Amino acid sequence: MAIVIFTAVMGVILGTLQLQEKNQQESALFRELSLAKQRIQLRFANNLDALISINRELAANEDQERLKRLAYEQADDLVFNNHEIVKIVWINAKNQRLWTAPPSNNKTDWIARTQNDDLANEGLASAIELSRSTSRASFSQFINLNLPSNEPLARERKTVFWQVVPNMVGGEAIGFLAALYTAQGVLDVVPAELKAYYRFTLLTDNERVLSISSDRDTPKRAFSNQTSLDIGVLSPNLTLRIDTYPPPTNLTFRMLIGVVLGLCAFVIWSLWSVLKQMQVRQEAEASLRTETSFRNAMENSTPVGIRAHDMQKRITYVNRAFCEMTGWSAKELIGLSPPFPFWPDSRRDELVEKMNRALKSEVIAKTGIEGVILRSDGSLIQTRTFIAPLINEKGKQSGWVTSLIDISEPKKIREELAASQERFVTVLEGLDAAVSVVDLENDRLLFANRFYKENFGDDSKGHFKLVGSGNNIETLHDVAEDLQDSPPGIPTAFLYQESESEEVQFDDGSNKWFEVRRRFIPWVDGHLAQLLIATDITMRKEADDLARQQEERMQFTSRLTTMGEMASSLAHELNQPLSAISNYCMGVAKRLEGNLDPSMSKDILPALEKASDQAHRAGTIIQRIRGFVKRSEPQRKHSNISEIINDAVGLVEIEANRHRLSITSNIANNLPEVYVDPVLILQVLVNLLKNALDSVREAYPLSSRWSAAPVNISADLDTSTFPAMIRIQVTDTGGGIAESVMERMFEPFFSTKTDGMGMGLNICRSIIESHHGRLWASNTMDSERTKLAGCTFTILLPLESPDSKENE
């Protein structure tokens, strides 16, 4: 406690002295900064008075020669006596320089020589404009000149600024007196004795250094202070900063501090040394007591029998466990030499030989030797004995130490486990399923039954192939890493959780299917492993696929039957109103004949006849579709393909105009007639034209459909085939058809429209194929072949039906 109190008191004293010295230095620093600030501001005030006095002389004197002489003398004296002023320029009201003091020449005008005229003139012009608008003395912004490094006064003249004083007469400026200052010269106003002890720095409001009194660095713990400089009303913001240099070394004070600190350190070290020695001694005594207690507890608690032998193989020590194991007391065993009485008589020679070999061989000593012990009651115990040399404190061998373990029960358990494992392996080998276990840490196959080896080999590739994709394998490795990073022991909740069965198909061409079940298990070495059972279900999958295909065919057949029944019903129901419409139209036409004005008859009667023809045509179309659904043969005849195309365009053109679209036709001349059912071919063309209009309508909004290209239907003779065939093409400029839709668009009941039945294109293809023709679609790319720009449906029809040729 005395040492601690002494150290604390000395620390308080030294801290108090240090604090007093710091306060004195800060007070002195503030005084010197205030003095330097007053000197600089006083110098600028005196300079301003001198410039105003020169302006007063210039305004009062009318003698030009005498004016120049007086102005020169006063300005020259001001520049000569003030180191911070470089030159003084007299400028008239028209911004013309009349004279400069001192006079400019190649030696003195270093601004022009260093090609900084533009920078200096810009600053002067801005200061004159500010002075002209305020009628007061003003300052320019700080100007950084581009001076070469070899310039002798480059450091002092690096940063300059102008002070402009207007010469006001009658409220108007008759001229301006401009003084060029250097930032380094401003610091020369500070007394030299102050700059010897402190470093002064001129800063702008953005902490930019304008000038510095000395390049000598200040210490890291130097005192600093700063204040703002007011050099004029319209002056830029200036800050004067002062930094202290390290004071001269106080050798006596520092030696006193060193002696006190050294004495304190020596006393503390002495106390620490004594305490350390006492602590080491106490720890040694405690360790000795703990070691003795631990040895006694270990000898009394361990089930391992321990005995010690000297170099003559006599027993020198036995623990309590060995006495309990043999049934002999320590007093009876100590001092005995081999053969020992706890060895069976029938195996004494064998055990003596084993002991001699174990004492000479380090390998046998490490692996141990199996033997037996005859208890005092006559029972036998199976044991394993380990032997190690006994080394004394001098590093020399003084005997051996042997430890005995009772392995009677573990040996019995191992024999039972071996028999149980043999039965278990026999069962697994007889399964018709692949069973495998893989170590998740190194992907090593730990176990595999016969079925696995016959189908997947002797490595773990088949296991991971059955697990699934590569992502599943990465997930297994991530699980193993997470369990390694977790606290010791694998969570029980994580183990033995069997996953749901998965069906895995091999993509190696065999098309085999396996039903896979897997779970995580701890292996015999404590590492995490995965058990997998895979059953071959290829036959079952093939049967399921066959049953599903049969069911789909039945559903398809049912839908077609229903479709045929619906078509028959619709045809029956629509024929009556269509016949009535036709009869009514013809009856009205008969009644109106002769009773109307001839001019009106020309308009009304043809319209009624056309309405009757269209009703008759609609009935014919329905009858043809009904006959087609009932698989009746089309009513073919030699037809003009141009008339069929024109009729189709006329039927669809009304809907095209309603959606602001158009249709064009391009039919080759002198096309031969084709042997077709014109009503069914007309129905196909109408369906294709309506699909093309729908595609264009979806690709172009209503406001921009005027720019959409018309849907084009063309017909020509395709001579690339033999025999030649009629080719009909319907082309649009819509968004094209996706590849996925292209593959299925001719399937029944497949539609991309929300209100579509999916039978239009299927019926169209069936009609064309019933005429022994072909129908297909192909997309059109844009000029840059970067996106789809439309679609073309192509129909090829034979000129004559093969059936008609056979009939002929």
Side-chain angles (χ1 to χ4, degrees):
M1 291 297 295
I3 293 174
V4 171
I5 293 174
F6 172 76
T7 305
V9 171
M10 296 304 298
V12 171
I13 293 174
L14 294 177
T16 303
L17 294 175
Q18 183 71 18
L19 182 60
Q20 290 179 356
E21 183 181 2
K22 179 181 178 182
N23 292 334
Q24 291 175 0
Q25 290 182 358
E26 289 180 349
S27 300
L29 189 69
F30 180 74
R31 287 196 308 270
E32 304 301 345
L33 179 63
S34 301
L35 177 60
K37 176 181 179 181
Q38 292 176 1
R39 293 289 295 270
I40 293 174
Q41 292 180 347
L42 181 60
R43 175 62 66 86
F44 273 94
N46 294 336
N47 292 343
L48 179 60
D49 293 340
L51 293 175
I52 293 175
S53 177
I54 295 173
N55 273 338
R56 191 179 301 114
E57 293 292 335
L58 292 174
N61 200 331
E62 297 179 357
D63 187 358
Q64 296 296 327
E65 294 298 328
R66 189 165 177 268
L67 170 66
K68 291 181 180 180
R69 187 172 61 255
L70 293 175
Y72 270 37
E73 291 176 356
Q74 293 181 9
D76 196 30
D77 290 341
L78 185 60
V79 174
F80 180 77
N81 295 325
N82 294 275
H83 182 66
E84 70 274 9
I85 299 178
V86 178
K87 62 181 178 179
I88 297 176
V89 182
W90 167 247
I91 303 171
N92 62 11
K94 297 180 180 180
N95 293 339
Q96 297 176 347
R97 299 188 181 186
L98 302 181
W99 51 263
T100 302
S104 300
N105 53 51
N106 292 333
K107 293 183 179 180
T108 60
D109 195 358
W110 48 270
I111 294 181
R113 189 173 65 254
T114 56
Q115 299 180 357
N116 287 281
D117 303 67
D118 294 338
L119 294 175
N121 293 335
E122 289 178 3
L124 178 59
S126 63
I128 291 174
E129 289 300 323
L130 181 60
S131 179
R132 189 192 303 275
S133 60
T134 58
S135 300
R136 304 178 70 175
S138 64
F139 290 82
S140 69
Q141 296 296 324
F142 298 103
I143 305 170
N144 287 331
L145 301 180
N146 299 319
L147 299 179
S149 59
N150 57 358
E151 180 69 25
L153 300 178
R155 178 175 173 272
E156 296 184 1
R157 298 174 178 177
K158 181 66 175 179
T159 304
V160 298
F161 61 96
W162 292 94
Q163 182 184 18
V164 177
V165 181
N167 196 341
M168 306 298 297
V169 176
E172 295 184 357
I174 64 172
F176 301 92
L177 201 59
L180 180 63
Y181 285 84
T182 64
Q184 189 66 33
V186 174
L187 289 182
D188 292 340
V189 178
V190 181
E193 57 271 14
L194 291 182
K195 292 191 288 185
Y197 292 100
Y198 305 98
R199 186 179 70 179
F200 293 89
T201 307
L202 275 182
L203 305 170
T204 61
D205 51 357
N206 58 357
E207 297 296 328
R208 183 166 65 90
V209 177
L210 299 177
S211 61
I212 189 167
S213 63
S214 175
D215 293 334
R216 187 170 53 165
D217 294 333
T218 59
K220 295 182 179 178
R221 296 184 179 180
F223 294 103
S224 299
N225 202 342
Q226 63 183 23
T227 182
S228 60
L229 278 178
D230 184 10
I231 61 175
V233 178
L234 298 177
S235 65
N237 295 329
L238 267 178
T239 300
L240 179 63
R241 187 174 70 191
I242 184 172
D243 299 287
T244 62
Y245 289 120
T249 304
N250 190 345
L251 185 58
T252 304
F253 180 73
R254 291 182 179 273
M255 288 181 63
L256 177 60
I257 293 177
V259 170
V260 173
L261 293 179
L263 179 61
C264 294
F266 177 74
V267 173
I268 293 174
W269 176 81
S270 300
L271 178 62
W272 176 82
S273 178
V274 173
L275 293 177
K276 193 68 176 177
Q277 292 178 3
M278 293 176 61
Q279 184 180 3
V280 170
R281 181 175 179 179
Q282 292 176 356
E283 289 179 354
E285 293 177 353
S287 299
L288 183 58
R289 290 192 297 268
T290 302
E291 184 69 22
T292 303
S293 301
F294 175 76
R295 178 180 175 183
N296 294 332
M298 183 178 64
E299 291 178 355
N300 295 328
S301 62
T302 180
V304 178
I306 300 175
R307 72 174 186 263
H309 300 264
D310 58 13
M311 296 303 293
Q312 286 74 32
K313 304 177 185 177
R314 289 191 300 266
I315 297 177
T316 59
Y317 169 81
V318 290
N319 66 342
R320 187 174 62 182
F322 186 82
C323 296
E324 294 176 354
M325 188 181 299
T326 60
W328 299 73
S329 65
K331 185 181 296 186
E332 294 172 337
L333 293 175
I334 292 177
L336 296 179
S337 298
F340 301 115
F342 47 80
W343 286 351
D345 296 337
S346 59
R347 300 186 59 180
R348 285 188 177 183
D349 295 338
E350 176 188 353
L351 294 176
V352 169
E353 181 64 22
K354 284 185 177 181
M355 183 176 181
N356 292 333
R357 284 191 285 107
L359 294 178
K360 296 178 182 179
S361 175
E362 294 182 358
V363 177
I364 298 177
K366 293 180 179 179
T367 58
I369 55 176
E370 288 192 9
V372 292
I373 286 181
L374 178 64
R375 290 176 55 85
S376 59
D377 59 2
S379 60
L380 295 176
I381 298 176
Q382 298 290 334
T383 62
R384 180 174 292 274
T385 303
F386 298 90
I387 301 176
L390 180 62
I391 307 299
N392 59 14
E393 69 279 2
K394 297 181 181 180
K396 295 183 179 180
Q397 183 178 356
S398 59
W400 291 272
V401 175
T402 61
S403 58
L404 285 79
I405 302 175
D406 186 358
I407 62 172
S408 301
E409 191 66 24
K411 191 172 183 179
K412 180 180 179 181
I413 294 174
R414 284 198 300 270
E415 292 175 355
E416 294 178 355
L417 287 176
S420 176
Q421 182 181 6
E422 184 178 357
R423 293 192 297 269
F424 177 72
V425 171
T426 302
V427 173
L428 290 180
E429 293 293 339
L431 292 178
D432 289 334
V435 180
S436 59
V437 180
V438 168
D439 189 346
L440 296 182
E441 293 184 7
N442 51 23
D443 299 343
R444 184 168 55 89
L445 184 65
L446 302 176
F447 175 80
N449 67 340
R450 174 191 54 81
F451 189 89
Y452 179 92
K453 294 178 180 178
E454 291 177 353
N455 289 273
F456 306 106
D458 295 332
D459 52 22
S460 60
K461 294 181 180 179
H463 181 97
F464 290 111
K465 191 175 182 181
L466 290 169
V467 168
S469 63
N471 293 332
N472 291 335
I473 298 173
E474 294 177 0
T475 302
L476 294 177
H477 292 165
D478 293 340
V479 169
E481 292 178 358
D482 292 341
L483 290 176
Q484 288 179 351
D485 297 337
S486 61
I490 302 174
T492 306
F494 179 76
L495 300 174
Y496 307 113
Q497 292 183 359
E498 183 175 355
S499 64
E500 296 183 0
S501 61
E502 299 179 4
E503 294 181 353
V504 179
Q505 183 184 17
F506 283 2
D507 53 359
D508 55 357
S510 60
N511 292 326
K512 285 189 175 183
W513 284 85
F514 288 89
E515 182 181 12
V516 179
R517 294 180 179 273
R518 60 182 185 272
R519 66 172 60 173
F520 295 102
I521 61 172
W523 196 238
V524 294
D525 56 359
H527 289 168
L528 183 65
Q530 187 186 47
L531 169 66
L532 183 142
I533 302 175
T535 306
D536 190 353
I537 57 170
T538 306
M539 299 294 293
R540 190 181 74 187
K541 293 295 292 186
E542 292 177 355
D544 293 343
D545 291 341
L546 183 60
R548 188 179 67 257
Q549 293 175 6
Q550 294 291 344
E551 184 178 358
E552 290 177 356
R553 292 192 188 96
M554 292 177 63
Q555 293 178 359
F556 177 69
T557 303
S558 176
R559 287 200 298 269
L560 288 180
T561 303
T562 304
M563 191 70 183
E565 294 175 355
M566 291 174 61
S568 300
S569 300
L570 287 174
H572 178 73
E573 295 294 333
L574 293 177
N575 272 331
Q576 293 182 0
L578 289 174
S579 299
I581 291 172
S582 178
N583 293 333
Y584 281 135
C585 290
M586 296 303 298
V588 171
K590 292 293 184 182
R591 289 199 174 192
L592 292 178
E593 288 181 357
N595 297 327
L596 287 177
D597 186 26
S599 61
M600 295 181 62
S601 299
K602 293 180 180 180
D603 296 333
I604 296 175
L605 292 179
L608 292 174
E609 291 176 358
K610 288 183 179 180
S612 177
D613 292 340
Q614 293 301 325
H616 180 70
R617 183 186 299 274
T620 306
I621 291 172
I622 292 173
Q623 290 296 333
R624 293 292 186 269
I625 293 177
R626 180 183 180 186
F628 176 76
V629 172
K630 289 185 176 181
R631 297 186 180 273
S632 61
E633 289 295 327
Q635 297 181 8
R636 297 187 180 92
K637 62 180 180 179
H638 290 281
S639 304
N640 190 345
I641 197 65
S642 301
E643 295 179 358
I644 298 175
I645 292 175
N646 292 331
D647 289 345
V649 173
L651 290 175
V652 184
E653 199 167 17
I654 298 175
E655 183 176 358
N657 294 333
R658 182 166 61 88
H659 294 292
R660 300 184 184 180
L661 298 174
S662 59
I663 303 175
T664 60
S665 58
N666 186 11
I667 305 173
N669 297 326
N670 302 323
L671 289 178
E673 293 183 344
V674 290
Y675 190 72
V676 295
D677 188 330
V679 176
L680 293 181
I681 299 300
L682 175 65
Q683 184 66 21
V684 172
L685 296 180
V686 168
N687 197 347
L688 296 180
L689 287 173
K690 290 179 67 177
N691 288 343
L693 290 174
D694 291 341
S695 178
V696 176
R697 184 160 53 89
E698 292 177 358
Y700 291 87
L702 185 62
S703 59
S704 61
R705 287 181 186 167
W706 58 271
S707 62
V711 175
N712 181 58
I713 181 171
S714 62
D716 58 0
L717 191 63
D718 185 9
T719 58
S720 62
T721 61
F722 183 81
M725 303 178 74
I726 293 293
R727 177 172 58 194
I728 304 172
Q729 290 184 323
V730 177
T731 305
D732 64 75
T733 58
I737 302 175
E739 292 296 332
S740 59
V741 177
M742 185 81 73
E743 296 175 356
R744 300 188 57 194
M745 64 181 181
F746 289 107
E747 295 180 4
F749 305 107
F750 175 79
S751 176
T752 58
K753 302 177 182 178
T754 56
D755 55 349
M757 294 181 62
M759 293 299 296
L761 290 177
N762 178 262
I763 292 176
C764 291
R765 171 173 275 188
S766 300
I767 291 174
I768 297 302
E769 290 179 351
S770 67
H771 286 78
H772 304 285
R774 293 176 55 204
L775 170 62
W776 72 89
S778 59
N779 284 319
T780 305
M781 305 296 291
D782 60 354
S783 59
E784 298 179 356
R785 302 194 65 80
T786 57
K787 63 178 182 178
L788 299 179
C791 181
T792 300
F793 280 84
T794 304
I795 301 174
L796 289 181
L797 292 174
L799 297 178
E800 292 185 3
S801 174
D803 297 339
S804 64
K805 290 183 179 181
E806 292 176 1
N807 295 334
E808 290 176 1

